[in-house]
Structure formats: structure tokens, C-alpha cells
Amino acid sequence: RGPAYHQIGVTFQGRYETYRWPGPKPWDSGVQVSSDCTQPDRWILYLVFPLDRLTPQGVVPGRTFYMNVIRSLKTNDAMAWNPTLGGYHAPNRMGAITLR
């Protein structure tokens, strides 16, 4: 929830870019992306992240990390797992996740 965090942007074609904030440096996420647009009324997106690259220290069971998932649209509307009320760059409002 600090000022530095990772971000990934994915298109419906499955192309993606990773970023480290602050700054545009790429993040070596190791992510595997699968995008499915075969249904006329939905977009199904799978992202598989290696847990040892998800955070700088890696993610292990019992440790909490913070994230958000936002579906942006060309309009000003967006859908979020955890609305930040501050746009994409509001890490202090990201949701807490603890793996068991």
C-alpha cells in the first residue's frame, strides 16, 4: 500500500504491458495471459502469476499483499473489484489478500 507498486494492462487480444510505479520501468512478472472473446456477450480473461514474482518479496501463505482489478472502458466508466475512488493510482486503497 505504499507509493511503489506494480501494474499490468491487458487488451482483449491478450497483449499486455507491465509497469513499476513510480516510473515506466517494466516489471518482470512472469504472467501467463489467456484471453477469450469467442462469446458475443462476454470477455473471459485469465492471468496466472508466479507467486515468487507477484511482490518484491514474493507471496507465501499467511502473508498479506494488496491488489485491485479494474476493468476500464473507453468511456469514463470503469468496474473495479475494490473501487478506490482515486483512479488506477491509489495504492493506499487497494484490497488486502492473504493466501492460506
Side-chain angles (χ1 to χ4, degrees):
R1 289 189 169 172
Y5 61 97
H6 297 142
Q7 182 180 25
I8 184 169
V10 183
T11 69
F12 68 90
Q13 296 102 343
R15 292 191 309 263
Y16 67 92
E17 291 195 32
T18 60
Y19 305 93
R20 255 177 237 235
W21 293 96
K25 301 170 193 161
W27 160 39
D28 182 17
S29 66
V31 68
Q32 295 178 23
V33 177
S34 176
S35 178
D36 180 353
C37 297
T38 59
Q39 302 298 315
D41 61 343
R42 69 196 68 177
W43 172 32
I44 301 171
L45 178 66
Y46 296 98
L47 301 174
V48 179
F49 291 94
L51 294 179
D52 63 343
R53 295 188 197 178
L54 195 56
T55 68
Q57 300 81 25
V59 174
V60 296
R63 185 181 295 157
T64 299
F65 68 99
Y66 303 92
M67 69 174 280
N68 200 2
V69 177
I70 300 174
R71 167 71 164 105
S72 15
L73 306 167
K74 288 185 179 183
T75 65
N76 289 333
D77 297 332
M79 294 174 269
W81 168 62
N82 183 45
T84 64
L85 308 175
Y88 302 117
H89 306 289
N92 60 332
R93 306 264 318 195
M94 292 181 182
I97 298 176
T98 304
L99 300 179
R100 295 182 189 249

